Amino acid sequence: MLLIVLVIYSAWICPFEFAFLTYKQDALFVIDNIVNGFFAIDIFLTFFVAYLDSQSYLLVDNPKQIATRYISTWFIFDVCSTAPFQPIISLLSTNHGSELGFKVLNMLRLWRLRRVSSLFARLEKDIRFNYFWIRCTKLISVTLFAVHCAGCFYYLIADRYPDSKQTWIGAVYPNFKEDSLWNRYVTAMYWSITTLTTTGYGDLHAENPREMLFDIFYMLFNLGLTAYLIGNMTNLVVHSTSRTRNFRDTVRAASEFAARNDLPPRIQDQMLSHICLKFRTEGLKQQETLNDLPKALRSSIAQHLFFPIIQKVDIFQGVSYDFLFQLVSEIDAEYFPPKEEVILQNEAPTDLYILVSGAVVLISNIDGQEQVVGKANSGDTLGEIGVLFQRPQPYTVRTTELSQILRLRRNSLMTTIQTNKEDEQIIMNNIFMKLKGEDGSGFEYPHTNKGLMLDNCPGGGQRGGYKDSSHEDAAMQEARNNCFTALQARKKSQIGKAQMTGENGQTEIQAAVCQGHLEKVKIVVEGGADVNKPEARGWMPKGLAQQQGDKDIHDLLLSYENRREMDEHRIEFIEPETSGSTSNCEGNCKTQEDHQHIHSHLRKVAMKSYQCPSSPASDREQGIRSYSKRVTIHMHSKSESVSERQLAKLIILPDSIDELLRVASEKFGGYRPTKVVNAENAEIEDMSVVRDGDHLFLLHNDCQNFVL
């Protein structure tokens, strides 16, 4: 910093001494030589200062390489700008006529200005200083230096001219040489500034050809300097107002687009609110900043910012650290203004959202009418049902205040889950528990067994034992389907509560029947409404539909009534205990811990993929029960007559064709069936197509078909 101050002093004193001062060994002479001494020390120290190689970008600290580089570049110029020419010339010559030559050599000290240029270049890149003010300071310094030099040189022309009265200053002040140094310097600066600014009052003007020639070159120089100053200042001003201008242009373009396409006012307001929020939060361009960084650094920053938030999310409770670490690297942060829709109902699931701050409402659109079915606050997830179960989004999510939301792409989430298969079941369990916890009205998930829940193995072990990964994936997919069905039913239950009565005492289902609204009746019934509950006058929904002659609604209510009667008469059975499964559980229970209870709508998946009886005693006490299909089997033989056919057998449908053939062989002694067909004479190859109550016909002796 001391050298910078000395450079500024040299930049002012060199032109001033060149034009106004004569050679004297006074105090100024001593000061100049002291300044030269400091720069001489700097030249010596430069031989020991390491430099950054421009090709390899490595720091070179070898003294020999440093000296070679310095001598071949700036060493000669630094010596010439530091050498004390004034005392050397005074010792070698006593002729004062060489004073002008000494002054010209003294002007070499202006070479030191390159240090100031390098300083400004560093300051412009230094984030600790404001770029605008650094740039303005540089432009002002350049202007003042140009004015100072031009005024000094122009005065030197007048001072050296033979006829002092035929000069620009002598025409106004004939005895200007006898005037004070201050007055002469101020007059020269006044002329320089008026000429630079092209004001030109006419009081000071060129009087001889030398001055006219200098004025010509000076004014040409002023053209370039003025263009440089105006261009830089314009860039600074335009840069500071470009954000506002771009914002105004975007708002105008959005308004024109909305008017041209006749968009509804609500959508127009959402567009403008989003643009305004983006303008106000542009200083928080978090994602743009992260995208410019290396992936490892982005992951570290994301872990610091988002990991504590992800850890508190309900559906990620209990998952592994590696799963969360991989997840936070794929998260983007966004801001949403009030009354803006984050998710639209029935749109394809592409992103999972986590609400960091603010609040949103869950809206369902029924027959063109929006109904609020729930709210979400900080820490809740949005759109997880659609993303995890591969279904259209069940709700519209709309903000009620300024909200910060984390967005996680579905592809990234599923890739992370596939990488950490053991965490998939934990996430699914958390989803089920969340849905169960949100159900506060006693609503039961459809088609479930109220008595079943997967229990933990002794010692806190988790029920497990994955034997077949493909079977596990199929079971998980079925679990997703069941859970999504449960969610849809719960949503419909929230929308169409049967206990809501009107002024005439009708329940909502009876009101829908009176209106003849088939879809509304279907939604209310699927939501858990009682189809046999009478109204205040004693009319039941089915009777109202029959009285109005609405056959479609009557058949719908009758089918739901029959379905519930069948559910009430379903037979449950206790899964037989096996020693093999017990030993399998013991191995898995040691490796998996803290398994949560799953709601009863997963009972079938649990039977197929996660059976883990802890012990014979516990199985006898609890048992694993599930709904099974009942079928009637008939044995047909090509050789036997109709009178010889045996009676049909009512059995529980086994899990496979081979098992069914084995059971039939035991039930019908002496026969070994080979094929299974239904009443339509179609061969059964997959047990999943068999329905409850079907009649199955078993063929043997190469029977290809038969006639009922």
Side-chain angles (χ1 to χ4, degrees):
M1 184 58 66
L2 175 61
L3 289 179
I4 296 300
V5 175
L6 297 180
V7 168
I8 295 174
Y9 166 78
S10 300
W12 177 80
I13 199 63
C14 287
F16 185 76
E17 288 181 342
F18 184 67
F20 291 95
L21 301 181
T22 58
Y23 173 73
K24 291 182 179 179
Q25 294 186 354
D26 51 6
L28 189 59
F29 171 80
V30 177
I31 294 175
D32 287 344
N33 285 284
I34 293 175
V35 172
N36 291 336
F38 278 106
F39 283 101
I41 296 174
D42 179 68
I43 293 175
F44 175 76
L45 295 178
T46 305
F47 283 96
F48 304 96
V49 177
Y51 67 92
L52 189 67
D53 186 68
S54 58
Q55 296 181 353
S56 62
Y57 294 97
L58 298 177
L59 195 65
V60 179
D61 56 358
N62 189 304
K64 184 177 180 180
Q65 294 181 358
I66 295 173
T68 302
R69 176 179 178 272
Y70 183 45
I71 292 175
S72 61
T73 52
W74 308 119
F75 176 72
I76 301 299
F77 297 96
D78 289 344
V79 170
C80 293
S81 64
T82 307
F85 293 105
Q86 183 176 354
I88 293 175
I89 293 177
S90 63
L91 292 176
L92 298 178
S93 176
T94 58
N95 183 12
H96 294 282
S98 60
E99 182 179 348
L100 182 60
F102 156 73
K103 290 183 177 181
V104 172
L105 292 175
N106 215 27
M107 289 293 292
L108 293 175
R109 288 184 291 175
L110 293 179
W111 169 255
R112 301 168 183 172
L113 286 176
R114 69 179 182 88
R115 296 177 181 271
V116 178
S117 177
S118 301
L119 173 66
F120 278 113
R122 291 195 301 270
L123 292 179
E124 288 174 356
K125 300 178 180 64
D126 196 328
I127 60 176
R128 296 174 297 176
F129 300 97
N130 186 279
Y131 175 80
F132 177 84
W133 293 113
I134 293 296
R135 195 69 181 172
C136 289
T137 303
K138 180 180 179 180
L139 296 176
I140 293 174
S141 301
V142 170
T143 304
L144 293 179
F145 180 72
V147 169
H148 175 69
C149 290
C152 293
F153 296 155
Y154 202 48
Y155 176 82
L156 180 63
I157 294 175
D159 184 61
R160 295 286 177 173
Y161 197 72
D163 188 1
S164 61
K165 294 182 180 181
Q166 294 296 321
T167 60
W168 64 274
I169 190 173
V172 179
Y173 305 105
N175 299 321
F176 69 90
K177 293 184 179 181
E178 299 177 0
D179 203 353
S180 66
L181 181 61
W182 171 254
N183 290 339
R184 286 179 286 164
Y185 179 74
V186 171
T187 303
M189 295 301 105
Y190 169 77
W191 170 88
S192 181
I193 291 177
T194 55
T195 305
L196 176 66
T197 57
T198 66
T199 303
Y201 292 111
D203 50 349
L204 298 174
H205 54 276
E207 295 287 346
N208 56 71
R210 295 182 186 177
E211 296 174 350
M212 294 178 183
L213 188 62
F214 181 84
D215 286 351
I216 291 173
F217 285 104
Y218 183 50
M219 285 186 285
L220 291 175
F221 169 78
N222 289 342
L223 291 176
L225 180 62
T226 303
Y228 172 76
L229 296 175
I230 293 177
N232 278 271
M233 293 303 298
T234 302
N235 287 336
L236 293 175
V237 175
V238 168
H239 178 74
S240 62
T241 60
S242 60
R243 286 185 62 251
T244 304
R245 186 186 68 253
N246 294 336
F247 165 70
R248 306 277 305 189
D249 293 342
T250 305
V251 170
R252 184 177 66 255
S255 301
E256 293 175 354
F257 173 82
R260 184 168 59 252
N261 294 277
D262 196 22
L263 296 180
R266 179 177 62 85
I267 297 181
Q268 294 186 35
D269 294 340
Q270 288 187 12
M271 290 174 57
L272 297 179
S273 298
H274 180 78
I275 295 173
C276 293
L277 178 64
K278 183 178 179 181
F279 173 74
R280 292 197 303 268
T281 60
E282 191 171 1
L284 303 175
K285 293 190 297 184
Q286 183 169 270
Q287 195 57 40
E288 288 81 352
T289 303
L290 292 176
N291 290 338
D292 295 333
L293 300 176
K295 181 173 179 58
L297 184 56
R298 289 202 309 268
S299 301
S300 299
I301 296 175
Q303 183 184 16
H304 175 75
L305 295 176
F306 306 137
F307 196 86
I309 300 174
I310 298 298
Q311 277 184 315
K312 300 178 182 178
V313 175
D314 293 340
I315 64 174
F316 297 141
Q317 292 296 316
V319 299
S320 63
Y321 176 86
D322 293 340
F323 178 86
L324 295 178
F325 184 85
Q326 297 171 23
L327 211 59
V328 295
S329 301
E330 306 296 335
I331 287 179
D332 300 336
E334 296 179 351
Y335 290 88
F336 290 85
K339 299 182 180 180
E340 181 169 350
E341 292 168 347
V342 182
I343 300 175
L344 292 177
Q345 184 177 357
N346 294 325
E347 75 173 359
T350 57
D351 301 290
L352 170 68
Y353 297 90
I354 301 172
L355 185 61
V356 178
S357 61
V360 300
V361 292
L362 309 179
I363 301 173
S364 183
N365 192 309
I366 301 298
D367 298 331
Q369 297 182 354
E370 294 184 347
Q371 299 188 25
V372 177
V373 297
K375 297 181 179 180
N377 298 310
S378 299
D380 293 339
T381 53
L382 311 171
E384 71 277 10
I385 300 300
V387 170
L388 293 175
F389 303 138
Q390 303 179 20
R391 294 292 189 276
Q393 296 290 3
Y395 303 116
T396 292
V397 179
R398 183 179 300 163
T399 59
T400 58
E401 58 186 71
L402 179 63
S403 304
Q404 182 186 9
I405 299 178
L406 302 182
R407 179 170 60 88
L408 178 61
R409 288 179 292 275
R410 179 182 178 276
N411 292 339
S412 301
L413 176 61
M414 301 312 294
T415 301
T416 306
I417 290 178
Q418 291 175 4
T419 308
N420 303 270
K421 291 293 286 185
E422 65 277 2
D423 293 320
E424 180 176 8
Q425 179 60 31
I426 298 177
I427 295 175
M428 297 300 297
N429 293 345
N430 292 337
I431 287 285
F432 302 148
M433 288 302 174
K434 179 180 179 181
L435 294 178
K436 180 183 177 182
E438 290 177 355
D439 185 13
S441 60
F443 171 74
E444 292 292 339
Y445 295 108
H447 315 299
T448 60
N449 181 2
K450 299 180 182 180
L452 177 70
M453 183 176 292
L454 289 180
D455 296 325
N456 292 345
C457 295
Q462 179 184 350
R463 295 185 182 274
Y466 304 137
K467 298 181 180 180
D468 186 1
S469 61
S470 61
H471 181 70
E472 172 192 348
D473 294 340
M476 184 58 64
Q477 183 62 36
E478 186 174 356
R480 290 173 175 170
N481 295 337
N482 291 341
C483 182
F484 184 77
T485 303
L487 175 73
Q488 291 290 83
R490 183 167 63 88
K491 178 183 74 172
K492 295 171 182 176
S493 174
Q494 292 173 337
I495 297 171
K497 290 294 184 180
Q499 59 267 29
M500 299 295 296
T501 59
E503 296 179 357
N504 56 359
Q506 288 183 334
T507 62
E508 187 166 351
I509 183 175
Q510 291 156 348
V513 172
C514 293
Q515 297 172 3
H517 203 304
L518 180 62
E519 290 299 324
K520 188 173 182 180
V521 172
K522 186 181 298 184
I523 291 174
V524 175
V525 172
E526 290 181 355
D530 188 0
V531 297
N532 295 320
K533 182 178 180 180
E535 63 168 353
R537 297 174 297 176
W539 284 90
M540 290 193 300
K542 186 171 62 176
L544 285 174
Q546 187 174 11
Q547 189 265 342
Q548 294 185 172
D550 197 327
K551 187 175 183 302
D552 293 336
I553 296 181
H554 180 269
D555 293 343
L556 175 66
L557 295 175
L558 185 61
S559 65
Y560 274 101
E561 183 179 2
N562 294 336
R563 183 187 304 175
R564 293 189 178 182
E565 289 178 357
M566 291 178 62
D567 290 344
E568 292 176 358
H569 292 86
R570 285 189 183 274
I571 298 176
E572 299 177 353
F573 71 96
I574 302 298
E575 183 73 10
E577 56 192 55
T578 60
S579 59
S581 60
T582 303
S583 61
N584 187 28
C585 172
E586 294 175 356
N588 287 281
C589 290
K590 293 179 181 179
T591 57
Q592 303 182 12
E593 298 179 355
D594 302 330
H595 189 280
Q596 297 182 352
H597 290 283
I598 305 179
H599 201 254
S600 59
H601 58 273
L602 282 181
R603 62 194 175 281
K604 186 174 180 181
V605 179
M607 285 288 297
K608 294 182 179 180
S609 298
Y610 307 104
Q611 286 187 7
C612 183
S614 58
S615 65
S618 62
D619 284 344
R620 285 192 295 271
E621 293 175 1
Q622 300 179 4
I624 300 178
R625 296 176 294 175
S626 68
Y627 294 140
S628 298
K629 301 173 184 177
R630 298 173 299 164
V631 295
T632 303
I633 57 176
H634 306 263
M635 178 62 66
H636 281 265
S637 174
K638 184 176 181 180
S639 59
E640 65 182 359
S641 62
V642 176
S643 60
E644 295 175 345
R645 293 179 182 175
Q646 300 187 31
L647 296 176
K649 307 291 185 180
L650 180 64
I651 66 170
I652 300 297
L653 182 67
D655 291 336
S656 64
I657 295 290
D658 294 337
E659 182 68 16
L660 176 60
L661 296 176
R662 186 187 64 79
V663 172
S665 178
E666 295 176 356
K667 297 291 184 181
F668 302 101
Y671 294 94
R672 304 184 69 83
T674 58
K675 292 184 180 180
V676 181
V677 297
N678 62 3
E680 287 79 19
N681 201 22
E683 183 177 353
I684 304 298
E685 295 181 347
D686 188 355
M687 301 301 289
S688 62
V689 301
V690 180
R691 297 167 297 183
D692 186 30
D694 279 355
H695 288 260
L696 303 181
F697 299 87
L698 297 103
L699 309 180
H700 75 108
N701 293 335
D702 299 328
C703 285
Q704 299 300 325
N705 52 62
F706 66 94
V707 180
L708 296 177

